[in-house]
Amino acid sequence: MEPKTGLVLEGGAMRGLFSHGVLDVFLENGIRADAVAAVSAGATFGCNYLTNQPRRAIRYCINYRHDPRFCSVASLMLTGDMYGAEFCYHTLPEILDPIDNDTFLQCGVPFYVVTTNLRTGKAVYHQCHDLLDRRELEWVRASASMPLASKIVKVDGYELLDGGVADSIPLKFMEYKGYTRNIVILTQPAGYEKQPNSLLPLMRKVYAKYPRFLRTIARRHEQYNAQTAYVAQQEAAGNVFVIRPPKKLPVSHISHDADTLREVYAIGRAEGLARMDALKTFLTGQM
């Protein structure tokens, strides 16, 4: 039986434009996964891979970078969301730069977004079936809702925030779902080690009613470093193909500089092109 190919997309806010660049190269070379599991910016940018819309994310990030409804301190102060919920998840995909939902519906590829349940501190994996359904988009928004920079997202009886808190790199989830040949796109370079969150004291005050969520945040760096070690282990064993930045990406979580955004996207494209022959070999089982 032909092994099923999974695609795992790490988040990282604007670092996600690196993954966007890689995925556009995938589209150009006919690289298709059988399922996608995405976290945070991996979900918001990665859905363009399933809608076959290359350059869409880099286009709207540049076109609307100065619009306070897109991403701004003003939006955070007025709405509770640094990335405006109504603008980013409705106005933009429905009107200003429409997402090709018909292509998504026709592709038949399962698209799982990862969120963190505040009540349990555990990851919740939701399969999105429609990218223009308001309830489904709440799950995508929850996956990318960074603590302190976003309101808690309430959907389907859950209280949710950024999936990266509980599961930054959902490789084991994809393996559990039966995808034994996985491609993992990371947004940090080899050797990166996450440190304890310096904002934890503030988070303890803001999220005091969610002790399990706080425990998960306090251990996040340990879990993340264990996950990257596991990815490297599976990569060495030939079970996983990993694409990661060659060095630390020159972008912060929030950036409004067009040249910087283009540079991060271009680094992703360059890395995708450089690794394409090796990826095709991996997918044909010749490693």
Side-chain angles (χ1 to χ4, degrees):
M1 180 182 295
E2 181 74 13
K4 294 192 295 182
T5 300
L7 174 61
V8 176
L9 304 175
E10 183 184 8
M14 285 304 176
R15 294 199 315 271
L17 288 175
F18 169 84
S19 303
H20 181 43
V22 174
L23 292 175
D24 279 2
V25 172
F26 282 15
L27 290 175
E28 293 163 7
N29 285 270
I31 303 298
R32 297 291 180 178
D34 297 310
V36 178
V39 183
S40 194
T44 56
F45 294 159
C47 64
N48 297 293
Y49 168 72
L50 296 175
T51 63
N52 195 22
Q53 290 178 279
R55 298 192 66 86
R56 178 174 174 269
I58 184 64
R59 180 174 64 240
Y60 69 65
C61 283
I62 290 175
N63 287 346
Y64 299 102
R65 68 190 188 280
H66 292 311
D67 191 318
R69 299 172 298 170
F70 179 59
C71 175
S72 68
V73 174
S75 177
L76 178 63
M77 298 298 291
L78 291 172
T79 71
D81 290 298
M82 180 77 75
Y83 288 88
E86 185 65 25
F87 183 81
C88 292
Y89 295 93
H90 300 294
T91 304
L92 186 55
E94 293 172 6
I95 301 170
L96 297 178
D97 199 329
I99 198 161
D100 188 348
N101 197 45
D102 289 340
T103 294
F104 174 78
L105 295 173
Q106 293 166 11
C107 79
V109 175
F111 179 48
Y112 300 99
V113 297
V114 185
T115 64
T116 300
N117 185 334
L118 271 72
R119 294 290 180 185
T120 66
K122 295 182 179 180
V124 180
Y125 307 89
H126 176 78
Q127 183 178 350
C128 287
H129 297 281
D130 187 335
L131 291 178
L132 289 181
D133 179 88
R134 283 197 167 241
R135 183 185 63 83
E136 295 279 50
L137 279 172
E138 286 297 276
W139 282 95
V140 178
R141 182 165 76 90
S143 182
S145 290
M146 297 179 290
L148 301 181
S150 311
K151 291 188 297 186
I152 295 170
V153 179
K154 298 179 180 180
V155 57
D156 293 344
Y158 291 96
E159 294 177 88
L160 306 167
L161 280 175
D162 192 341
V165 174
D167 191 354
S168 297
I169 309 169
L171 174 58
K172 289 187 177 181
F173 167 76
M174 290 298 271
E175 292 172 339
Y176 170 78
K177 298 292 287 186
Y179 299 93
T180 56
R181 183 173 60 188
N182 288 290
I183 305 166
V184 177
I185 302 180
L186 302 177
T187 60
Q188 294 285 11
Y192 171 79
E193 290 191 5
K194 187 176 286 293
Q195 302 301 312
N197 195 317
S198 61
L199 295 176
L200 188 58
L202 177 57
M203 290 185 183
R204 291 191 189 281
K205 295 180 180 179
V206 174
Y207 302 110
K209 63 183 288 188
Y210 303 105
R212 294 179 180 177
F213 178 70
L214 289 171
R215 284 198 291 270
T216 300
I217 289 181
R219 299 193 303 266
R220 184 185 179 188
H221 63 292
E222 298 173 354
Q223 181 188 19
Y224 181 88
N225 295 334
Q227 285 184 312
T228 55
Y230 180 73
V231 169
Q233 178 190 60
Q234 293 301 303
E235 181 182 26
N239 300 323
V240 171
F241 191 91
V242 183
I243 298 180
R244 52 172 70 84
K247 59 183 180 180
K248 181 177 175 61
L249 293 170
V251 68
S252 63
H253 273 68
I254 299 167
S255 177
H256 296 89
D257 182 75
D259 289 339
T260 298
L261 300 179
R262 291 191 185 97
E263 181 182 0
V264 173
Y265 173 78
I267 293 170
R269 284 194 57 86
E271 202 63 22
L273 288 167
R275 303 295 307 285
M276 185 51 57
D277 288 345
L279 175 58
K280 289 179 177 179
T281 298
F282 171 78
L283 292 175
T284 55
Q286 297 175 3
M287 287 192 71

